[in-house]
PDB file of all heavy atoms in Angstrom:
ATOM      1  N   HIS G  27     -24.909  12.413  23.969  1.00  0.00           N
ATOM      2  CA  HIS G  27     -26.135  11.689  24.372  1.00  0.00           C
ATOM      3  C   HIS G  27     -26.156  11.527  25.884  1.00  0.00           C
ATOM      4  O   HIS G  27     -27.197  11.752  26.518  1.00  0.00           O
ATOM      5  CB  HIS G  27     -26.207  10.339  23.684  1.00  0.00           C
ATOM      6  CG  HIS G  27     -27.305   9.484  24.191  1.00  0.00           C
ATOM      7  ND1 HIS G  27     -28.624   9.731  23.922  1.00  0.00           N
ATOM      8  CD2 HIS G  27     -27.286   8.404  25.022  1.00  0.00           C
ATOM      9  CE1 HIS G  27     -29.381   8.835  24.531  1.00  0.00           C
ATOM     10  NE2 HIS G  27     -28.591   8.014  25.208  1.00  0.00           N
ATOM     11  N   LEU G  28     -25.053  11.134  26.479  1.00  0.00           N
ATOM     12  CA  LEU G  28     -25.010  10.971  27.929  1.00  0.00           C
ATOM     13  C   LEU G  28     -25.205  12.308  28.652  1.00  0.00           C
ATOM     14  O   LEU G  28     -25.906  12.359  29.652  1.00  0.00           O
ATOM     15  CB  LEU G  28     -23.670  10.330  28.334  1.00  0.00           C
ATOM     16  CG  LEU G  28     -23.491   8.878  27.938  1.00  0.00           C
ATOM     17  CD1 LEU G  28     -22.091   8.385  28.323  1.00  0.00           C
ATOM     18  CD2 LEU G  28     -24.551   7.993  28.563  1.00  0.00           C
ATOM     19  N   SER G  31     -28.770  13.190  28.674  1.00  0.00           N
ATOM     20  CA  SER G  31     -29.551  12.293  29.516  1.00  0.00           C
ATOM     21  C   SER G  31     -29.604  12.758  30.962  1.00  0.00           C
ATOM     22  O   SER G  31     -30.526  12.453  31.688  1.00  0.00           O
ATOM     23  CB  SER G  31     -28.967  10.880  29.477  1.00  0.00           C
ATOM     24  OG  SER G  31     -29.066  10.354  28.175  1.00  0.00           O
ATOM     25  N   PHE G  32     -28.585  13.478  31.413  1.00  0.00           N
ATOM     26  CA  PHE G  32     -28.498  13.854  32.820  1.00  0.00           C
ATOM     27  C   PHE G  32     -28.490  15.366  33.073  1.00  0.00           C
ATOM     28  O   PHE G  32     -28.662  15.809  34.195  1.00  0.00           O
ATOM     29  CB  PHE G  32     -27.238  13.246  33.450  1.00  0.00           C
ATOM     30  CG  PHE G  32     -27.249  11.762  33.457  1.00  0.00           C
ATOM     31  CD1 PHE G  32     -26.482  11.042  32.546  1.00  0.00           C
ATOM     32  CD2 PHE G  32     -28.045  11.057  34.339  1.00  0.00           C
ATOM     33  CE1 PHE G  32     -26.481   9.657  32.538  1.00  0.00           C
ATOM     34  CE2 PHE G  32     -28.068   9.667  34.345  1.00  0.00           C
ATOM     35  CZ  PHE G  32     -27.291   8.973  33.442  1.00  0.00           C
ATOM     36  N   ASP G  72     -32.932  12.425  35.094  1.00  0.00           N
ATOM     37  CA  ASP G  72     -32.282  11.211  34.594  1.00  0.00           C
ATOM     38  C   ASP G  72     -33.144  10.598  33.512  1.00  0.00           C
ATOM     39  O   ASP G  72     -34.162   9.984  33.777  1.00  0.00           O
ATOM     40  CB  ASP G  72     -32.107  10.225  35.753  1.00  0.00           C
ATOM     41  CG  ASP G  72     -31.416   8.936  35.317  1.00  0.00           C
ATOM     42  OD1 ASP G  72     -31.052   8.824  34.143  1.00  0.00           O
ATOM     43  OD2 ASP G  72     -31.253   8.056  36.165  1.00  0.00           O
ATOM     44  N   ARG G  73     -32.721  10.805  32.248  1.00  0.00           N
ATOM     45  CA  ARG G  73     -33.457  10.234  31.110  1.00  0.00           C
ATOM     46  C   ARG G  73     -32.765   8.981  30.580  1.00  0.00           C
ATOM     47  O   ARG G  73     -33.173   8.440  29.575  1.00  0.00           O
ATOM     48  CB  ARG G  73     -33.534  11.261  29.998  1.00  0.00           C
ATOM     49  CG  ARG G  73     -34.405  12.424  30.301  1.00  0.00           C
ATOM     50  CD  ARG G  73     -34.531  13.331  29.080  1.00  0.00           C
ATOM     51  NE  ARG G  73     -35.160  14.567  29.443  1.00  0.00           N
ATOM     52  CZ  ARG G  73     -34.520  15.630  29.920  1.00  0.00           C
ATOM     53  NH1 ARG G  73     -33.210  15.603  30.070  1.00  0.00           N
ATOM     54  NH2 ARG G  73     -35.165  16.714  30.238  1.00  0.00           N
ATOM     55  N   PHE G  74     -31.741   8.537  31.212  1.00  0.00           N
ATOM     56  CA  PHE G  74     -30.966   7.405  30.728  1.00  0.00           C
ATOM     57  C   PHE G  74     -31.743   6.116  30.999  1.00  0.00           C
ATOM     58  O   PHE G  74     -32.238   5.874  32.084  1.00  0.00           O
ATOM     59  CB  PHE G  74     -29.610   7.348  31.450  1.00  0.00           C
ATOM     60  CG  PHE G  74     -28.630   6.433  30.799  1.00  0.00           C
ATOM     61  CD1 PHE G  74     -28.038   6.786  29.605  1.00  0.00           C
ATOM     62  CD2 PHE G  74     -28.296   5.237  31.376  1.00  0.00           C
ATOM     63  CE1 PHE G  74     -27.113   5.936  29.003  1.00  0.00           C
ATOM     64  CE2 PHE G  74     -27.394   4.385  30.797  1.00  0.00           C
ATOM     65  CZ  PHE G  74     -26.780   4.734  29.609  1.00  0.00           C
ATOM     66  N   ASN G  75     -31.869   5.270  29.973  1.00  0.00           N
ATOM     67  CA  ASN G  75     -32.561   3.980  30.062  1.00  0.00           C
ATOM     68  C   ASN G  75     -34.005   4.110  30.536  1.00  0.00           C
ATOM     69  O   ASN G  75     -34.464   3.353  31.379  1.00  0.00           O
ATOM     70  CB  ASN G  75     -31.810   3.027  30.998  1.00  0.00           C
ATOM     71  CG  ASN G  75     -30.541   2.504  30.376  1.00  0.00           C
ATOM     72  OD1 ASN G  75     -30.407   2.488  29.172  1.00  0.00           O
ATOM     73  ND2 ASN G  75     -29.610   2.088  31.219  1.00  0.00           N
ATOM     74  N   THR G  76     -34.723   5.107  30.026  1.00  0.00           N
ATOM     75  CA  THR G  76     -36.125   5.222  30.372  1.00  0.00           C
ATOM     76  C   THR G  76     -36.975   5.021  29.132  1.00  0.00           C
ATOM     77  O   THR G  76     -36.552   5.345  28.015  1.00  0.00           O
ATOM     78  CB  THR G  76     -36.448   6.623  30.968  1.00  0.00           C
ATOM     79  OG1 THR G  76     -36.199   7.610  29.986  1.00  0.00           O
ATOM     80  CG2 THR G  76     -35.655   6.897  32.211  1.00  0.00           C
TER      81      THR G  76
END
Side-chain angles (χ1 to χ4, degrees):
H27 172 72
L28 290 176
S31 296
F32 297 104
D72 181 2
R73 291 185 191 86
F74 194 73
N75 287 337
T76 63

